[in-house]
């Protein structure tokens, strides 16, 4: 048993009961053995009164409590007609409480869907929510603008890419979450005393001193507020309720796929956290605000884990983090002119790079050094446009670097991706691959295991040059890659994919799954990873730009089908329409949801403001008293611990962010095995394994017999399970598409592929039945079309199974089939006369032969297998237990049973 484990929230199922005077919110853990109750007053028209009684109830106690409430709230004592307590809604968590101009609303998660699993910790996506008005109608004070604010607030679709977990902190990286679990025991003991003094529950620390060696430290860390989207909604009750009621959600993307390596399951997970600071839509949020928060800032983390072992302490886990975000300067684009490419303007002069300093200071605290900037904006233009940003960013980085030690300086890599894309002599992805190798070598990656012995047996020179920090328990990523173009969408997503692909090779090598840290295109593993990144890019592009990706990895590889170009045009038009007509309303909704704008009586309404500039730039409203030094621009203490990130260093400030509590080793709040498998309950596979993820063998590996099943084997374009003969189109559709491709004009020149700022988003997933430009079109006439289709089907069956359906079966095959039919008739007990007739005809045919090592193995009887003595004793003990004769129980059995009874009934 590990010395420390994450604390699992004990509020996972909620039921809201209502009376005329109060709402009662009853929350329970997954096993429904521990309950908590919140009382919400409905008699206050504008104030929120929430009472947590600080007591943990059993199931029986809750039933008795609800029964008393029901009886006490009936209009007449003993009346049975109408209940005094009615059940309003069932939920899975509280998003928060919000107030506009009338009373408060409560937002509840009513539907969820499991999206990923990391070490047994489930990650859920919000599927539906319910917004309930708290005050009673008798005390409600109406306002004419309340309904409009409610519509604006609900424009933020909570069922679209919002995620949460009851036991895993999604606002932090895997490296942070596992580093916290390795805090020395002496420090954990000290923090337990401090947490006990600040304890919320009345009897929370009862019995902890007597646990001794059976105790396990449960750890819960404060979330990283930048990536929490409901922080403002929960602030109003944060100090009034137990921490388990506070469910923090993130916005962005979460996807998980299964990579099968000769049957060994490896989960590849991609999590994107969108920043809630300076959040908004494409043209309305550019650059940075006065606090160093940039627009469209997204932290992308790829996690690799061996799914054979589910535990954080015993399993193998690896992760790599990279960031995208707008150029950290004061700049904007004016869209009032309705131009496709609005001009870029620098709004304020910043000679001492104050905004950039604040931004990079945040990154040094969270990621350590080196900070590597990959700037993909255009360097050479006929009319100065994107180059304005490059010149200012170079000036800012040069200024900041002169005060940093050389070994921790910010690394700046400018690369005009658009120019290389238009060139016929240069391969964009080859150049990106070189940059990716250099980046990963400098930052390293996280893995929770020491270097495997395979790296000694199969030494690789690239492995010895790897950066990061090597510790006794594995490796830490120090520093991060920060990628940007103008919009941080199309070009950025392709660059991040190439860096992620390079890091994935090192992660697989560190876990001993491949011989060399190198992955080739057109392998099942890379295709699976590419599909994850395209879904990731499409989702982020829809959230920020209003359409999906325009340019994908296939576009830059120059193998995209010709039909993709028409889709790109439609996505560009969709993006332009969204930016011109709907982005302003979406921006208002985001400002209201995040609490950037708070409605107040007597002040202008949200829709009456000419701009939200003053809401996000706080220094324009109040005068900042303390200004940072222009030379020592970093937070004190950060430089001392570099290259390690300051947030992960064991210091007094970081220890205050932890909540540590000691539990018994079998307590449900730290036992993730019980939480996942529920061994004491009757459960179904559909509930336990409800996650349907992409599978490398089912979805990508060719179905032909004799194909190498390794996901690291390079396939031909027509061999993969998701290529020409994809899942979404059958063979007849494919032939018709080939016919169309043969008669259509040639695809447009690749020089037409642009990477300008207005083309940074895109299309839905490509039609997998389409033919790439590398495929040779097949010309055929209409008259022979059916014959060709049949020929193709027959040919594939012959390749796969060695059969040719156009030939009649041989005599041996017929006799085998007849023998099979006779066996089936014997199994279904036909009448004797019919069996005798059949036996006369087949007397010379049926000659049963044994098909296995068992001598008596056929459809009539099976020889029992040989088992060892211990298995026989276990089986006999099971039989005796069924008769009521129990075997004497051991000490461990008594402890487990006693713990079960205590949790269930006491």
């Amino acid at each position: 048993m590990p010395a420390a484990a994450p604390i699992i929230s004990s509020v996972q199922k909620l039921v809201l009961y209502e009376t005329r005077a109060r709402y009662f919110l009853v929350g329970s853990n997954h096993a429904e053995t521990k309950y908590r109750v919140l009382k919400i007053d409905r008699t206050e028209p504008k104030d929120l009164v929430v009472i947590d009684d600080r007591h943990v109830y059993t199931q029986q106690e809750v039933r008795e409590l609800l029964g008393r409430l029901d009886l006490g709230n009936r209009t007449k004592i003993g009346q049975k007609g109408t209940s005094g307590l009615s059940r309003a809604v069932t939920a899975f968590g509280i998003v928060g409480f919000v107030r506009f101009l009338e009373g408060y609303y409560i937002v509840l998660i009513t539907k969820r869907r499991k999206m990923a699993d990391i070490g047994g910790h489930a990650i859920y996506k919000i599927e539906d929510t319910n917004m309930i008005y708290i005050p009673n109608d008798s005390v409600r004070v109406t306002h004419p603008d309340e309904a409009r604010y409610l519509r604006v607030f609900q424009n933020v679709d909570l069922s679209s890419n919002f995620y949460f977990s009851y036991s895993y902190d999604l606002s932090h990286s895997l490296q942070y979450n596992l580093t916290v679990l390795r805090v020395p025991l002496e420090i954990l003991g000290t923090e337990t005393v401090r947490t006990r003094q600040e304890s919320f529950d009345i009897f929370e620390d009862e019995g902890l001193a007597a646990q001794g060696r059976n105790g396990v430290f449960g750890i819960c860390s404060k979330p990283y507020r930048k990536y929490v989207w409901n922080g403002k909604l929960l602030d109003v009750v944060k100090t009034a309720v137990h921490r388990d009621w506070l469910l923090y959600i993130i916005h962005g993307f979460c996807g998980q796929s299964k990579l099968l390596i000769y049957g060994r399951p490896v989960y590849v997970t991609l999590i994107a956290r969108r920043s809630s600071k300076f959040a908004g839509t494409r043209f309305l949020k550019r650059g940075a605000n006065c606090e160093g928060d940039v627009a469209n800032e997204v932290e992308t983390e790829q996690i690799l884990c061996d799914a054979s072992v589910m535990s954080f302490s015993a399993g193998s886990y690896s992760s790599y983090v990279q960031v995208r975000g707008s150029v950290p300067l004061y700049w904007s684009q004016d869209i009032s002119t309705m131009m496709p490419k609005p001009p870029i303007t620098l709004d304020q002069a910043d000679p001492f790079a104050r905004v950039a300093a604040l931004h990079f200071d945040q990154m040094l605290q969270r990621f350590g050094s080196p900070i590597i900037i990959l700037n993909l904006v255009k360097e050479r233009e006929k009319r100065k446009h994107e180059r304005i940003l490059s010149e200012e960013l170079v000036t800012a980085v040069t200024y900041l670097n002169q005060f940093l030690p050389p070994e921790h300086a910010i690394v700046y890599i400018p690369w005009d991706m658009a120019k290389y894309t238009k060139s016929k002599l240069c391969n964009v992805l080859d150049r990106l691959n070189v940059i990716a190798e250099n980046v990963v070598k400098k930052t390293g990656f996280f893995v929770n295991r020491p270097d495997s012995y395979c790296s000694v047996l199969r030494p690789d020179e690239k492995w010895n040059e790897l950066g990061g920090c090597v510790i006794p328990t594995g490796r830490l990523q120090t520093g991060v890659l920060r990628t940007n173009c103008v919009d941080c969408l199309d070009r950025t997503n392709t660059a991040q994919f190439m860096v992620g692909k390079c890091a994935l090779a090192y992660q697989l090598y560190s876990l001993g799954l491949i011989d060399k840290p190198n992955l080739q295109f057109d392998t099942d593993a890379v295709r699976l990873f590419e599909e994850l990144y395209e879904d990731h890019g499409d989702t982020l592009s829809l959230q920020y730009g209003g359409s999906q990706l325009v340019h994908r990895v296939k576009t830059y590889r120059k193998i995209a089908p010709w039909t993709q170009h028409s889709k790109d045009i439609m996505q560009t038009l969709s993006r332009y329409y969204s930016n011109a007509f709907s982005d302003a309303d979406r921006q208002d909704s985001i400002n209201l949801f995040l609490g950037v704008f708070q409605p107040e009586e007597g002040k202008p309404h949200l829709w009456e403001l000419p701009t939200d500039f003053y809401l996000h730039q706080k220094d324009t409203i109040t005068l900042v008293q303390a200004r940072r030094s222009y030379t020592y621009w970093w937070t004190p203490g950060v430089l001392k611990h570099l290259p390690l990130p300051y947030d992960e260093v064991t210091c007094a400030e970081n220890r205050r962010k932890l909540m540590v509590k000691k539990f018994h080793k079998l307590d449900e709040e730290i036992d993730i095995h019980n939480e996942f498998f529920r061994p004491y309950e009757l459960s179904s596979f559909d509930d336990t394994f409800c996650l349907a993820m992409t599978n490398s063998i089912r979805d990508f590996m060719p179905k032909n017999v004799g194909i190498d099943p390794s996901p690291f084997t390079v396939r031909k374009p027509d061999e993969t399970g998701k290529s020409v003969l994809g899942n979404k189109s059958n063979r007849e559709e494919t032939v018709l598409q080939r016919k169309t491709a043969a008669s259509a004009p040639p695809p447009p020149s690749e020089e037409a592929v642009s990477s300008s700022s207005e083309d940074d988003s895109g299309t839905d997933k490509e039609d997998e039945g389409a033919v790439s430009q590398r495929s040779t079109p097949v010309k055929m006439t209409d008259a022979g079309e059916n014959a060709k289709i049949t020929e193709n089907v027959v040919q594939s069956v012959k390749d796969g199974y060695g059969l040719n359906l156009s030939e009649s079966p041989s005599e041996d095959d017929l006799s085998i089939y007849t023998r099979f039919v006779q066996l089936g008739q014997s199994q279904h007990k036909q009448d004797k006369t019919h069996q005798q007739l059949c036996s006369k005809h087949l007397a010379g045919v049926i000659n049963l032969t044994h098909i296995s090592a068992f001598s008596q193995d056929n459809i009539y009887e099976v020889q029992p297998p040989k088992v060892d003595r211990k298995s026989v004793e276990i089986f006999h003990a099971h039989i005796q237990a069924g008769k009521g004769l129990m075997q004497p129980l051991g000490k461990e059995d008594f402890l487990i049973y006693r713990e079960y009874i205590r949790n269930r009934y006491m």
Side-chain angles (χ1 to χ4, degrees):
M1 193 74 185
I7 296 178
I8 304 168
S9 173
S10 61
V11 178
Q12 299 187 24
K13 299 176 182 178
L14 291 86
V15 180
L16 185 69
Y17 297 92
E18 67 171 316
T19 65
R20 290 183 60 82
R22 282 193 180 94
Y23 275 122
F24 293 91
L25 195 58
V26 180
S28 71
N29 60 354
H30 186 56
E32 298 184 3
T33 57
K34 297 179 181 180
Y35 290 80
R36 292 182 180 273
V37 179
L38 275 188
K39 303 172 189 176
I40 306 173
D41 191 5
R42 301 185 64 194
T43 60
E44 290 290 339
K46 291 191 176 182
D47 295 331
L48 180 65
V49 179
V50 178
I51 302 172
D52 188 342
D53 58 10
R54 305 190 179 193
H55 183 67
V56 179
Y57 297 87
T58 63
Q59 192 175 65
Q60 183 62 30
E61 290 173 343
V62 165
R63 287 175 180 171
E64 294 173 358
L65 175 64
L66 295 177
R68 290 195 299 270
L69 290 172
D70 182 26
L71 188 62
N73 283 278
R74 289 176 182 165
T75 54
K76 294 181 181 179
I77 297 178
Q79 182 181 359
K80 295 183 179 179
T82 57
S83 174
L85 185 73
S86 60
R87 182 170 177 152
V89 74
T90 302
F92 297 101
I94 303 173
V95 175
F97 298 84
V98 63
R99 177 181 174 271
F100 308 123
L101 295 171
E102 295 181 10
Y104 274 90
Y105 298 82
I106 181 174
V107 186
L108 298 173
I109 301 169
T110 54
K111 288 184 182 179
R112 66 183 183 186
R113 179 159 61 97
K114 189 175 179 180
M115 294 298 296
D117 182 274
I118 302 175
H121 301 268
I123 298 174
Y124 296 97
K125 176 181 177 290
I126 298 176
E127 289 288 298
D128 197 10
T129 56
N130 197 349
M131 198 167 177
I132 300 171
Y133 188 67
I134 293 176
N136 201 322
D137 290 340
S138 61
V139 299
R140 183 170 187 171
V141 180
T142 59
H143 193 283
D145 294 314
E146 179 77 7
R148 184 167 182 179
Y149 273 117
L150 184 60
R151 286 196 303 270
V152 172
F153 183 87
Q154 291 178 333
N155 276 343
V156 175
D157 187 6
L158 282 170
S159 64
S160 174
N161 308 116
F162 284 89
Y163 305 92
F164 67 94
S165 176
Y166 298 112
S167 55
Y168 183 82
D169 188 352
L170 287 173
S171 66
H172 285 292
S173 65
L174 179 72
Q175 175 172 315
Y176 178 90
N177 289 333
L178 294 191
T179 301
V180 163
L181 297 181
R182 292 198 174 109
V183 174
L185 294 180
E186 301 80 24
I187 297 176
L188 290 179
T190 307
E191 291 303 306
T192 304
V193 174
R194 179 185 63 81
T195 306
R196 228 182 268 173
Q197 293 170 353
E198 302 171 0
S199 175
F200 187 88
D201 285 349
I202 301 173
F203 306 109
E204 192 167 27
D205 54 344
E206 183 179 326
L208 291 177
Q211 289 177 5
R213 295 182 181 179
N214 292 329
V216 175
F217 290 103
I219 299 179
C220 178
S221 60
K222 289 184 179 180
Y224 192 66
R225 289 297 293 257
K226 175 183 276 192
Y227 299 116
V228 172
W229 276 65
N230 63 335
K232 289 283 187 180
L233 302 179
L234 291 174
D235 280 347
V236 66
V237 296
K238 186 177 179 181
T239 57
V241 301
H242 189 270
R243 66 177 186 279
D244 286 348
W245 292 104
L246 307 176
L247 185 65
Y248 295 100
I249 63 175
I250 67 165
H251 184 39
F253 173 80
C254 179
Q256 189 172 58
S257 297
K258 182 188 292 185
L259 183 66
L260 282 171
I261 305 173
Y262 293 106
R264 184 178 181 182
V266 176
Y267 286 174
V268 182
T269 310
L270 204 62
I271 298 175
R273 308 173 185 92
R274 179 177 290 280
S275 172
S276 61
K277 308 291 185 183
F278 203 51
T281 53
R282 187 184 176 201
F283 284 123
L284 298 179
K285 284 293 162 282
R286 295 294 211 191
N289 65 5
C290 61
E291 296 177 346
D293 303 307
V294 298
N296 195 24
E297 183 173 7
V298 183
E299 179 180 299
T300 301
E301 180 180 21
Q302 61 188 58
I303 300 173
L304 196 74
C305 67
D306 186 350
S308 305
V309 182
M310 201 184 67
S311 165
F312 274 157
S313 57
S316 299
Y317 295 85
S318 177
S319 72
Y320 184 77
V321 178
Q322 46 187 325
V323 176
R324 68 171 71 183
S326 189
V327 179
L329 305 168
Y330 285 123
W331 66 279
S332 62
Q333 287 180 279
D334 184 12
I335 58 172
S336 60
T337 56
M338 298 292 288
M339 296 173 59
K341 293 176 67 174
I344 293 174
T345 57
L346 295 173
D347 299 331
Q348 296 182 33
D350 193 6
F352 300 105
R354 189 177 67 87
V355 173
L358 290 170
H359 177 67
F360 291 123
D361 180 38
Q362 292 178 12
M363 298 190 73
L364 286 174
Q365 289 187 59
R366 185 163 173 84
F367 304 109
S369 68
I371 303 297
I372 304 174
I373 302 171
L374 177 57
N375 185 19
L376 303 175
V377 303
K378 296 178 181 177
E379 298 288 337
R380 295 182 180 178
E381 298 172 298
K382 294 180 180 177
R383 180 176 61 87
K384 203 172 181 182
H385 181 63
E386 295 184 14
R387 187 154 54 97
I388 298 172
L389 301 178
S390 291
E391 293 173 352
E392 286 295 318
L393 183 59
V394 170
T395 304
V397 171
T398 305
Y399 172 80
L400 296 176
N401 270 342
Q402 62 183 328
F403 308 111
L404 282 174
E407 64 272 18
H408 303 310
I410 300 170
V411 180
Y412 179 76
I413 305 174
W415 189 58
D416 189 345
M417 191 169 174
K419 185 183 81 171
Y420 276 82
T421 303
K422 295 178 181 179
S423 172
K424 295 183 179 180
L425 302 177
C426 300
N427 188 315
V428 175
L429 299 189
D430 284 349
R431 174 61 182 155
L432 276 175
N433 193 58
V434 174
I435 295 174
E437 285 283 353
N438 292 329
V439 167
V440 177
K441 282 180 181 178
K442 289 179 180 178
T443 62
F445 61 95
F446 169 74
V447 63
N448 72 330
R449 291 275 159 225
D451 289 352
S452 303
Y453 189 59
C454 63
S455 59
V456 179
L457 294 176
R458 302 188 296 268
D460 188 275
E461 57 183 20
K462 292 199 299 184
W463 182 256
N464 297 328
E465 300 172 2
L466 196 62
C469 182
V470 181
I471 58 176
T473 56
R475 288 177 174 268
L476 298 178
Q477 177 181 345
T478 57
V480 73
L481 172 69
R482 185 196 190 280
T483 309
N484 71 267
C485 47
V486 176
D487 291 331
C488 304
L489 295 178
D490 292 19
R491 287 173 280 180
T492 298
N493 199 69
T494 301
Q496 284 196 330
F497 164 75
M498 289 301 298
V499 176
K501 169 179 166 289
C502 177
L504 181 67
Y506 280 98
Q507 291 175 280
L508 290 166
Y509 181 80
S510 70
L511 300 182
L513 300 174
I514 55 177
D515 291 337
K516 292 185 178 181
N518 187 32
L519 289 176
Q520 300 292 331
F521 276 106
D522 297 321
T523 60
D524 296 343
V526 173
R527 281 173 174 158
L528 177 144
F529 190 64
E530 181 182 336
E531 185 179 85
L532 261 182
Y533 249 97
E534 286 197 354
D535 292 345
H536 159 268
D538 283 339
T539 304
L540 298 181
S541 185
L542 274 170
Q543 293 166 7
Y544 182 64
S547 74
Q548 296 177 330
L549 290 174
V550 174
H551 301 140
R552 303 167 180 272
V553 177
K554 290 185 179 65
T555 308
Y556 292 105
R557 288 184 69 192
K558 301 184 180 179
I559 62 168
W562 63 271
T563 54
Q564 185 65 36
H565 294 279
S566 60
K567 292 182 180 180
D568 292 350
I569 294 172
M570 293 305 298
Q571 292 299 334
T572 303
L573 293 175
S574 172
R575 185 180 296 182
Y576 178 73
Y577 174 84
S578 174
N579 299 155
F581 300 106
S582 64
D583 277 5
D585 293 336
R586 288 172 58 206
Q587 184 66 56
D588 286 345
S589 301
I590 292 172
N591 289 340
L592 187 62
F593 183 85
L594 293 176
V596 177
F597 176 84
Q598 182 61 46
E600 292 183 29
E601 194 72 43
K603 289 190 176 182
H605 295 301
L606 178 62
W607 48 87
E608 294 174 351
L609 299 178
T611 177
D612 65 350
F613 177 82
Y614 305 101
L615 300 177
H616 293 272
Q617 308 287 351
K618 295 180 180 179
D619 62 349
T620 59
I621 301 177
T622 58
L623 184 63
V624 180
Q625 299 296 331
R627 286 189 171 272
R628 288 202 173 196
S629 169
Y630 291 139
T631 55
Y632 297 99
W633 51 267
W634 51 85
T635 301
V638 170
L639 211 60
K640 181 174 67 175
H641 298 286
L642 291 179
L644 292 175
Y646 182 72
D647 287 352
E648 296 174 15
V649 173
T650 305
C651 62
E653 182 181 351
N654 290 336
R655 289 205 300 268
R656 283 193 291 270
K657 299 176 183 178
L658 301 180
M659 199 288 297
V660 184
K661 180 183 172 185
K662 200 168 187 181
F663 294 90
H664 190 276
K665 67 176 182 179
L666 300 177
D667 196 293
E668 291 175 330
E669 288 191 51
I670 49 93
D671 192 347
I672 194 62
H673 181 272
N674 273 3
E675 179 73 16
F676 185 83
F677 288 107
R678 311 306 315 154
Y680 300 123
E681 294 180 3
L682 178 63
S683 56
S684 66
F685 281 132
D686 290 339
D687 294 334
T688 305
F689 304 101
C690 58
L691 181 59
M693 62 180 77
T694 305
N695 189 305
S696 62
I697 287 184
R698 182 186 65 231
D699 300 321
F700 293 93
M701 195 182 81
K703 305 301 184 287
N704 299 339
V705 176
I707 292 293
D708 184 0
S710 170
F712 309 114
T713 301
V714 178
R715 316 282 189 200
K716 295 179 182 178
D718 56 346
E719 281 185 345
T720 179
K722 283 201 174 186
S723 181
V724 175
L725 307 179
N727 297 344
K728 294 184 180 178
S729 60
N730 56 27
R731 196 173 292 268
E732 290 86 347
E733 292 173 343
T734 303
V735 173
L736 292 176
Q737 288 170 357
R738 285 179 175 175
K739 178 183 175 183
T740 307
S743 60
S749 165
E750 292 297 336
E751 293 183 8
V753 177
S754 132
S755 280
S756 60
S757 64
E758 65 271 3
D759 291 337
D760 261 51
S761 268
T763 359
D764 202 352
K765 290 184 181 178
E766 294 180 11
D767 185 0
E768 289 151 356
V771 186
S772 69
Q773 293 177 6
R774 289 184 177 179
S775 305
T776 304
V778 180
K779 295 183 179 180
M780 57 186 73
T781 60
D782 291 338
E785 182 177 330
N786 294 332
K788 290 291 184 182
I789 292 173
T790 307
E791 181 182 340
N792 286 340
V793 175
V794 172
Q795 185 67 23
S796 66
V797 173
K798 185 174 181 180
D799 292 342
Y801 300 100
L803 300 176
N804 193 341
L805 297 182
S806 61
E807 300 176 359
S808 59
S810 64
E811 293 183 1
D812 292 340
D813 294 335
L814 281 175
S815 65
I816 292 173
Y817 178 69
T818 310
R819 199 183 315 165
F820 170 74
V821 172
Q822 175 64 13
L823 288 174
Q825 291 174 345
S826 300
Q827 185 178 12
H828 292 290
K829 292 187 177 181
Q830 305 290 334
D831 57 90
K832 293 183 179 180
T833 56
H834 185 68
Q835 288 184 7
Q836 290 172 358
L837 289 173
C838 291
S839 62
K840 288 180 181 178
H841 291 296
L842 301 172
V845 177
I846 296 180
N847 184 16
L848 295 176
T849 57
H850 299 298
I851 59 173
S852 73
F854 296 124
S855 59
Q856 301 292 333
D857 189 13
N858 51 48
I859 65 170
Y860 304 106
E861 57 180 327
V862 177
Q863 180 185 13
K866 294 181 180 180
V867 294
D868 58 5
R869 182 179 175 183
K870 187 174 181 181
S871 301
V872 174
E873 290 176 354
I874 293 173
F875 180 72
H876 281 303
H878 175 68
I879 297 297
Q880 295 298 323
K883 297 178 180 179
L885 303 176
M886 303 297 296
Q887 298 292 323
L889 299 177
K891 184 178 179 181
E892 190 69 20
D893 299 324
F894 276 112
L895 289 174
I896 294 176
Y897 182 70
R898 185 181 301 161
E899 185 65 24
Y900 167 69
I901 292 297
R902 187 175 70 84
N903 290 336
R904 189 70 178 177
Y905 301 107
M906 298 179 65

